[in-house]
Amino acid sequence: MPVEITWWGHATCTLEDSGVRVLTDPLFARRLAHLRRRRGALPPPDARQADVVLVSHLHADHLHVPSLARLAPGTRLLVPRGAPRAVPGLRRLTGLRMTEVTPGDRVEAGGLVVRVVPARHDGRRLPVGPHRSPALGYVVEGAARTYFAGDTGLFETMAEEVGPVDVALLPVGGWGPYLGEGHLDAERAAHALARLAPRSAVPVHYGTYWPIGMDAVRPHEFHAPGEEFVRHAELRAPGVAVHRLGHGESVRLEVAR
């Protein structure tokens, strides 16, 4: 059975596996604080349709309460443990079936199993807030094993803690001219790809949002990460098929396990 992945921009993807629709870090806004969407149309209304939604950490470009509020009532929502305490707006989303998770958890969703894995990232709700919730990645197991990394840095035990995967959705950039600790740029993402050794990969988390008034500041950090990831992946992980999608584009993958 084929697996289909659609990239809507930033870290927002739809994964369709075994008849189940999974949505990652939904962000359906033209503007978020000092960021504006510079490339790609907003996801269409049907992008909000999902059986289960995965939220990787508490940063507002990944846990965006107004976007979550647009999900259909009854949608299953997985959030890092402690998120409702740290983000009070989550408590108003009473129509969603929310589950708090932490690394090591396994959640059944339709015909899929979602494994919760660690990420190396500051998962606090910024600009203020104690570090109450972990940053997470997820492995969605169905016809394929698809790893959604959320935001993470490269770490020594990544391959062991994530486990075997067929497809990797890896962040390769950011939303500003500089990446801090706990992020992957295109080269580090290629190193992660070599460690994980999936069959296929899709670069995400680049080329969508950028700070207002900073269009001319290090613009290559906005435009180039996808192409750079393809180039580095060819050197570091030549056996992996990399699919660089445009906003709203999809890829169907036949996975034989």
Side-chain angles (χ1 to χ4, degrees):
M1 179 182 293
V3 172
E4 183 167 298
I5 295 164
T6 304
W7 182 50
W8 301 113
H10 203 55
T12 306
C13 301
T14 294
L15 163 67
E16 296 185 61
D17 187 333
S18 305
V20 181
R21 284 174 62 94
V22 180
L23 180 65
T24 66
D25 286 353
L27 182 55
F28 303 138
R30 293 189 184 279
R31 179 172 175 179
L32 175 63
H34 64 301
L35 305 178
R36 66 180 174 91
R37 191 174 180 114
R38 284 192 55 203
R39 182 185 289 168
L42 284 176
D46 63 0
R48 306 170 198 164
Q49 301 300 314
D51 299 294
V52 60
V53 175
L54 311 178
V55 171
S56 62
H57 62 287
L58 304 192
H59 292 171
D61 57 322
H62 293 258
L63 194 169
H64 186 243
V65 174
S67 294
L68 295 175
R70 298 180 185 180
L71 300 173
T75 301
R76 186 78 180 273
L77 175 63
L78 305 188
V79 299
R81 182 172 293 173
R85 182 176 66 240
V87 185
L90 279 176
R91 303 174 204 163
R92 296 193 292 270
L93 304 181
T94 55
L96 304 181
R97 296 186 295 133
M98 191 181 312
T99 302
E100 299 179 47
V101 294
T102 196
D105 287 349
R106 296 172 63 91
V107 178
E108 293 187 8
L112 306 179
V113 172
V114 180
R115 288 197 297 109
V116 186
V117 299
R120 296 297 186 270
H121 189 69
D122 183 348
R124 290 177 295 175
R125 188 69 164 183
L126 300 176
V128 295
H131 197 156
R132 289 179 175 167
S133 294
L136 306 174
Y138 297 91
V139 178
V140 179
E141 298 182 342
R145 296 163 297 194
T146 302
Y147 171 48
F148 169 62
D151 253 352
T152 187
L154 189 64
F155 54 99
E156 193 65 32
T157 59
M158 176 180 276
E160 299 96 85
E161 298 199 57
V162 171
V165 292
D166 303 297
V167 184
L169 311 180
L170 291 179
V172 302
W175 51 254
Y178 300 98
L179 283 176
E181 291 293 322
H183 293 87
L184 296 176
D185 61 11
E187 185 172 8
R188 291 194 294 270
H191 282 279
L193 195 65
R195 295 185 184 187
L196 296 166
R199 298 173 185 267
S200 303
V202 176
V204 302
H205 204 280
Y206 76 100
T208 308
Y209 291 90
W210 203 248
I212 294 169
M214 298 186 69
D215 290 10
V217 180
R218 295 174 61 86
H220 63 283
E221 297 292 353
F222 179 83
H223 294 284
E227 293 179 356
E228 289 185 350
F229 175 68
V230 171
R231 178 170 56 84
H232 285 295
E234 288 176 348
L235 296 174
R236 298 287 180 183
V240 180
V242 176
H243 304 273
R244 186 170 69 86
L245 303 177
H247 293 78
E249 289 186 347
S250 303
V251 60
R252 290 171 65 87
L253 304 172
E254 293 285 349
V255 180
R257 287 170 54 185

